[in-house]
Amino acid sequence: MIKFPAYAFLTGLYFSTVQFCYLILLQMNISSAYLTYMVITTSWLIGSIAGLWLEKLDRNVGVGLGLFSYYSVYAMVSNMPFSSFTLVLAALGAGVTGLWAGRFFVFILHQYKQVDRVFFHENNGFWVGIVMFFLGFTLMVLPFVFWAPMILAGLLLLKHLWIKRAA
Amino acid sequence: MIRDFVTILYGEEVVIILVTAAFFLGLSMGYFLSLKFSDKFFHNSFLAIVFLHLTFPFSYRMLAAEIARSHLHGYAYVVLMFVYALIFSSIFAVFLPRLVHEKSADKESAIQRMKVLYSMELIGFAAGFAIVGMSWNKGVDFILPIYWALLAVIIHLALQKKTWTVAFVLLAIVSSNSIERIDRQTTSLLYKYKHHFDEAETLLTINSAYQKVEVIKDEDGELYLYLDGLLNLNASDLEDLNYYIAETPARLIKPEKTLIVGNGTLSSVPKVYPYSKFVQSVELDAGVLLAGQKFFTPTEELKGLDRWNLIIDDGKHFLKTTDHMFDLIIMDIPSPLTIQEAILHTKEFYQLAKSRLTAKGVIAVQLSGPLQHNNRTPARVVAALSEVFDEVMVINSDKADRSFGFASRELPFNVADMRKATHEYEEGLEIINPDDILSYLSEAVPLALDNLDLVLCRGLDRFTDRYFDVDRDPCRKVRGWTEEYFDD
């Protein structure tokens, strides 16, 4: 049986981890100013709203696109730290990653009707992700920012395979 | 409210994470309970909670002060935080699932409703984000009336009962007249009991984009600057701090160009200015600058300093983008208790600073405590400096209650010069020769971008020690257990 609560939890964990990884990546390589936080959050929100209405956004494409954007931003800010135009491109990347944060709820409601439980499990994943990010980042720092989004996205894509088989 | 609780519990990163997680846990509780209760129960509990919101942030400050006054155990603060987190955030998580669930005949219509409603919620979040942005560097008297007005609209939309809306609006109007007064009184109360002041007067309490900035006056008229509840400095410490970190190296070097990173009070500017041909200040937080100019360095002291320039920017961004080379860089920033502050104490940051220093340029760093033979903050910062610079001199001041590090490719002054420059200010100042520094660092792991465990360990150490009387340094304990396990 598909464990949709676990899937929702894992998705929440992925969202908070990738969001905080974006933030710290930009704070380390562009600026710690409030503008960085504001740009990333706003872009993520816009991406989420757009994602809610993007009927054709497939689950694998949603996660994959988000991951691709994240590592593109990672490569860009690591190679060109503190360039003035990187924040704009990073905002675009965060927006693209945010698409799945909106579309996910539409996708999962198709599979799993209980809206309260979906938000509950996703939010639990999100706050556990906040704690995990803090522990992971302070203990591992850069390897965590590099590996954590990839591992979590990998687990999500695996889950997608199981969902497909069960469907 | 998260900022307020961080301030109550003192703002190390550990506390910030704990409080944020508690508020998200509150949302989870709301989602979990959202469809479990009848409409009547939901309406009644919603009403009770929104009326309770009129007591925020004063009620929990008073309760925290009472916990401190009654010497209750530290767990009481954590319980208080969780209770308020649940009250504050859980009720707002109830709406979306209920609204989607109600009036949705089938799955398709539920999904359609969810798309519309969740989009609206996210747009609302973005609007709220903008309002919060407008409230930076202002007191709660700016944002609370807006917040209460929004709550009144929610009451009206959720309950459709004019009586309750009108009652809430009237109470909000009455309360809004005394927000500033009560804000200052409850802040003072908190400082009196929790920070153990005999008398505390709140002169300034604002939220900047980065932290809560508070200026408190004690019974002797001494001023204290608190950032997220952590003491940043007081007026007398400031004298000693400025003397050692700014005035002394400036006098010894006579720099062409000086860069001051941090020092939001701007108090070191007049100390460095007479010895330097050009002084550049870089401070990130406009809220701290506001507090500094209002209470610590009056604008008159900075008037006419035409060889001085101030930029509001992140220190590392400035260093990476400036074309200037400096003879002296003064790092006047808080202890590495948060990730952002810790990054400014890493060897990678010092490498960046080194790239903007002239051949005999010096970076001066306050070490947040005395340098000892251990792996605590001062030793770890000095270890980071030692990895990057060829020469590091440390002075250990009893008067300033901390050590200061001076690092360079080739220090333009020696121990004798330092002794001569400081002997009148403090006799018996301990000066550690660059050749002897390594002997202090046998246990110290340099702070670096692949090693920021200090933020976690120091934060946990302070937090558990403060509230739970747990043995010091939980990280050291864990390391001990691990080593024991692997030895076995």
Side-chain angles (χ1 to χ4, degrees), chain A residues 117-139:
Chain A
R117 292 307 161 94
V118 169
F119 278 103
F120 171 70
H121 293 299
E122 192 270 345
N123 192 66
N124 281 342
F126 198 90
W127 72 258
V128 170
I130 294 173
V131 178
M132 192 183 84
F133 173 81
F134 173 62
L135 294 175
F137 184 76
T138 50
L139 295 174

Side-chain angles (χ1 to χ4, degrees), chain B residues 379-432:
Chain B
R380 295 193 66 176
V381 176
V382 174
L385 283 169
S386 299
E387 286 228 341
V388 175
F389 293 95
D390 301 320
E391 293 188 349
V392 182
M393 181 190 289
V394 171
I395 57 172
N396 200 351
S397 163
D398 286 339
K399 210 169 171 179
D401 196 26
R402 68 189 72 198
S403 296
F404 298 86
F406 305 96
S408 174
R409 293 181 184 92
E410 189 188 345
L411 279 171
F413 49 83
N414 57 28
V415 172
D417 298 330
M418 179 61 80
R419 175 83 57 212
K420 199 173 157 193
T422 57
H423 79 277
E424 273 183 24
Y425 193 79
E426 183 176 351
E427 273 184 41
L429 178 79
E430 187 188 357
I431 304 172
I432 304 168

Side-chain angles (χ1 to χ4, degrees), chain A residues 9-10 15-16 22 39 80:
Chain A
F9 179 88
L10 190 61
F15 287 155
S16 66
Y22 258 119
V39 165
M80 290 176 284

Side-chain angles (χ1 to χ4, degrees), chain B residues 302-314:
Chain B
L302 301 169
K303 262 188 191 159
L305 303 186
D306 48 0
R307 291 178 280 113
W308 168 63
N309 184 41
L310 168 67
I311 290 181
I312 297 178
D313 194 4
D314 174 25

Side-chain angles (χ1 to χ4, degrees), chain B residues 280-335:
Chain B
Q280 174 70 62
S281 289
V282 178
E283 164 64 46
L284 181 60
D285 194 338
V288 181
L289 285 172
L290 184 80
Q293 289 190 330
K294 233 171 164 179
F295 299 102
F296 294 93
T297 315
T299 329
E300 304 84 67
E301 279 188 38
L302 301 169
K303 262 188 191 159
L305 303 186
D306 48 0
R307 291 178 280 113
W308 168 63
N309 184 41
L310 168 67
I311 290 181
I312 297 178
D313 194 4
D314 174 25
K316 56 185 180 304
H317 180 260
F318 174 83
L319 279 168
K320 196 73 189 181
T321 49
T322 184
D323 295 328
H324 291 275
M325 296 296 281
F326 297 93
D327 302 298
L328 174 62
I329 297 180
I330 296 165
M331 292 299 300
D332 187 0
I333 53 171
S335 310

Side-chain angles (χ1 to χ4, degrees), chain A residues 27 32 55 110 117 124 141, chain B residues 28 107 115 316 340 449:
Chain A
Q27 286 185 335
S32 297
E55 301 291 342
H110 275 292
R117 292 307 161 94
N124 281 342
V141 197
Chain B
S28 281
K107 197 156 81 175
K115 281 159 72 174
K316 56 185 180 304
Q340 288 311 321
L449 280 187

Side-chain angles (χ1 to χ4, degrees), chain B residues 437-487:
Chain B
I437 286 292
L438 281 182
S439 69
Y440 282 80
L441 308 178
S442 53
E443 285 181 45
V445 181
L447 275 176
L449 280 187
D450 57 7
N451 201 324
L452 290 178
D453 62 331
L454 180 84
V455 178
L456 172 68
C457 295
R458 190 80 187 104
L460 264 182
D461 180 17
R462 290 166 63 108
F463 183 71
T464 52
D465 190 39
R466 190 184 304 135
Y467 295 112
F468 307 114
D469 300 323
V470 173
D471 278 351
R472 292 183 74 83
D473 206 345
C475 283
R476 184 182 286 246
K477 228 172 180 177
V478 172
R479 269 197 294 271
W481 289 335
T482 319
E483 276 166 21
E484 219 168 87
Y485 177 81
F486 283 110
D487 284 349

